[in-house]
Amino acid sequence: MSKFEETRWTNREFSRNYRDKANIYLPFRREFIGTAKSLYGYFFDAKSENNVLDLGCGDGLFIEELLKTFSPTSITLIDGSNEMLEAAQKRLGKKENINFIQANFQSLFSGQLLNQTFDFVYSSLAIHHLPSEDKKRLYSYIYELLSPGGCFAHYDVVAPVSTKIENWFLSLWRQWIKEHPDKEMSENLVGIPDQYKKNTDNMPDTLGSQLQALTQIGFKEVDCFLKHGIFSLFGGFK
Ligand SMILES: C[S@@+](CC[C@H](N)C(=O)[O-])C[C@H]1O[C@@H](n2cnc3c(N)ncnc32)[C@H](O)[C@@H]1O
């Protein structure tokens, strides 16, 4: 497995920069989070017990949004970065049913860290840092962690099917940033799509190959629930 410690997420400045600016340069972030939240609400809210896991939680934005409307029984947030987990703790406060775990995905497989099953596993913009084989291994692990009927919702960047399409998707992304009303900010951030493309920490796989991997693992109703350029929300049920 690739090493989390060698990624830029262990850099305090880099993590802080992401937290401050992600809303500006991530296209339709609110809609992606809203759709994942709807997936949870529609299929799970009526159940008497719901345990939620957020893998690569960052500063806990998704869980904060979820808690505005729903009350899961328990929530577990995992991230490799101490800085990010601290920001999540600050955002969500101390609550008995919320657990914060500092761990990288690579260490999850030892089987010691998580000793419960989950109804809803969410992950955003984190798993694309793993090479293909590690992604598949993590997806299998998520499948094992899910209760019967449970759902995995994965919002992440995916690799376009060709360079031709990739060039369009990157230009679509630049356009989104350029349209931000704060012109100075958008000028500073318009290089992000090119930085994303150059950075070897980013190892996206195509949406098709990931849907196929999930299906092969045993997930049912595997589908893409929302897509804009390289940004996709996809997953399936156990
Ligand atoms: C782009 S941020 C996304 C954070 C949050 N999910 C969001 O949507 O805003 C990626 C997060 O994944 C975490 N991460 C990346 N690779 C990881 C790994 N191998 N193990 C654990 N966490 C990882 C980083 O520390 C960072 O907090």
Side-chain angles (χ1 to χ4, degrees):
M1 269 233 168
S2 58
K3 288 206 180 83
F4 174 75
E5 294 69 26
E6 289 166 8
T7 71
R8 295 172 308 161
W9 292 107
T10 53
N11 178 300
R12 189 167 274 267
E13 184 59 33
F14 183 80
S15 315
R16 189 176 307 125
N17 205 33
Y18 170 79
R19 294 200 304 279
D20 291 346
K21 312 224 171 92
N23 272 343
I24 301 173
Y25 67 74
L26 290 176
F28 298 104
R29 190 184 194 196
R30 183 201 296 263
E31 286 73 12
F32 279 103
I33 290 176
T35 307
K37 183 173 161 178
S38 155
L39 197 53
Y40 174 86
Y42 190 85
F43 291 104
F44 297 96
D45 186 42
K47 287 178 62 206
S48 59
E49 180 166 344
N50 280 313
N51 298 299
V52 172
L53 171 65
D54 185 343
L55 284 172
C57 61
D59 63 355
L61 176 70
F62 175 70
I63 296 300
E64 183 184 48
E65 288 301 318
L66 196 71
L67 289 173
K68 283 181 186 165
T69 315
F70 306 115
S71 305
T73 316
S74 81
I75 298 170
T76 302
L77 298 97
I78 295 186
D79 202 286
S81 153
N82 194 34
E83 162 97 9
M84 284 297 204
L85 267 190
E86 275 173 14
Q89 268 167 328
K90 202 165 154 196
R91 189 191 273 277
L92 300 171
K94 271 202 172 148
K95 295 190 183 80
E96 254 185 30
N97 66 339
I98 305 188
N99 308 310
F100 299 90
I101 302 177
Q102 188 192 353
N104 59 54
F105 302 145
Q106 294 81 339
S107 68
L108 287 179
F109 305 120
S110 64
Q112 311 284 323
L113 275 174
L114 297 172
N115 48 15
Q116 66 170 113
T117 55
F118 296 91
D119 303 281
F120 191 73
V121 176
Y122 171 82
S123 182
S124 54
L125 304 162
I127 296 177
H128 71 276
H129 293 302
L130 300 178
S132 312
E133 285 314 306
D134 292 355
K135 283 192 196 78
K136 286 183 199 160
R137 198 168 165 209
L138 186 60
Y139 292 161
S140 298
Y141 180 69
I142 291 169
Y143 187 77
E144 277 172 38
L145 284 178
L146 282 172
S147 319
C151 176
F152 172 42
H154 187 195
Y155 157 35
D156 211 341
V157 285
V158 297
V161 293
S162 70
T163 309
K164 181 170 105 179
I165 299 296
E166 177 165 68
N167 290 339
W168 171 45
F169 281 172
L170 291 176
S171 112
L172 200 59
W173 188 2
R174 276 183 221 105
Q175 193 55 38
W176 162 274
I177 299 170
K178 279 187 197 156
E179 281 167 16
H180 192 272
D182 181 339
K183 289 298 154 215
E184 198 185 328
M185 189 61 97
S186 82
E187 258 173 45
N188 286 338
L189 297 176
V190 77
I192 295 257
D194 295 301
Q195 286 168 26
Y196 159 82
K197 179 63 192 146
K198 280 192 205 125
N199 186 344
T200 50
D201 272 356
N202 297 321
M203 295 176 246
D205 286 297
T206 61
L207 177 62
S209 68
Q210 294 185 80
L211 297 181
Q212 195 180 20
L214 292 176
T215 305
Q216 276 168 359
I217 288 163
F219 282 93
K220 304 280 180 250
E221 286 132 341
V222 170
D223 208 346
C224 176
F225 307 119
L226 188 66
K227 193 166 188 309
H228 174 83
I230 61 170
F231 297 88
S232 306
L233 172 67
F234 62 98
F237 291 77
K238 179 162 175 177

